[in-house]
Amino acid sequence: MTTWITVCDTCKREGWETGDMELTDGERLAELVESETDGEAGVKVRRLSCLMGCGKGCNVAIQGSGKVSYTLGNFIPEKAAAEAIVDYARCHAVSETGVVPYGQWPQAIKGHFVTRHPPLPRE
């Protein structure tokens, strides 16, 4: 089953306006996450303009149908963050429930979890 990584492409971290403003921090993170998956089966990436987590930019959501979903934030748009996000999404994809045991979490995502959402009920 596919796990989706949704990257907020409008996120701007504090101090963004003092650097190269060609891309938002969210766009930079999205590019890095997209390059980590590059057509990989089981994990897909999409962008969304605003996940409404502005105080914790850069934000991503990890979601899969019928599974627990997560919002993570406060990432620096760097390769190590993108690798950890994708590694976690891979674990989420193979989990039947979406719950990934703490011991399997990549170190670089620990401390970045913002919310957890139960799967929607099946009607």
Side-chain angles (χ1 to χ4, degrees):
M1 184 166 303
T2 300
T3 285
W4 284 90
I5 303 169
T6 304
V7 183
C8 177
D9 63 5
T10 55
C11 279
K12 298 173 186 160
R13 295 178 45 83
E14 187 174 326
W16 171 81
E17 67 282 351
T18 63
D20 172 10
M21 297 188 310
E22 183 178 331
L23 299 173
T24 65
D25 292 323
E27 288 171 317
R28 292 178 202 289
L29 183 61
E31 286 180 356
L32 291 165
V33 171
E34 289 163 350
S35 71
E36 286 298 315
T37 58
D38 195 25
E40 177 177 332
V43 177
K44 297 200 181 295
V45 182
R46 63 183 178 167
R47 296 179 186 207
L48 180 72
S49 293
C50 199
L51 283 174
M52 298 182 79
C54 302
K56 296 189 180 288
C58 295
N59 294 285
V60 301
I62 307 291
Q63 302 167 291
S65 180
K67 296 182 177 189
V68 173
S69 299
Y70 300 90
T71 306
L72 296 86
N74 203 28
F75 286 105
I76 297 171
E78 298 176 336
K79 185 172 176 55
E83 289 172 345
I85 291 165
V86 173
D87 285 347
Y88 184 83
R90 288 177 182 129
C91 293
H92 183 273
V94 298
S95 168
E96 187 173 314
T97 63
V99 176
V100 178
Y102 183 78
Q104 294 178 18
W105 293 11
Q107 185 62 38
I109 66 154
K110 293 179 179 176
H112 291 273
F113 285 83
V114 178
T115 61
R116 179 170 92 165
H117 303 271
L120 290 174
R122 296 179 195 253
E123 294 183 42

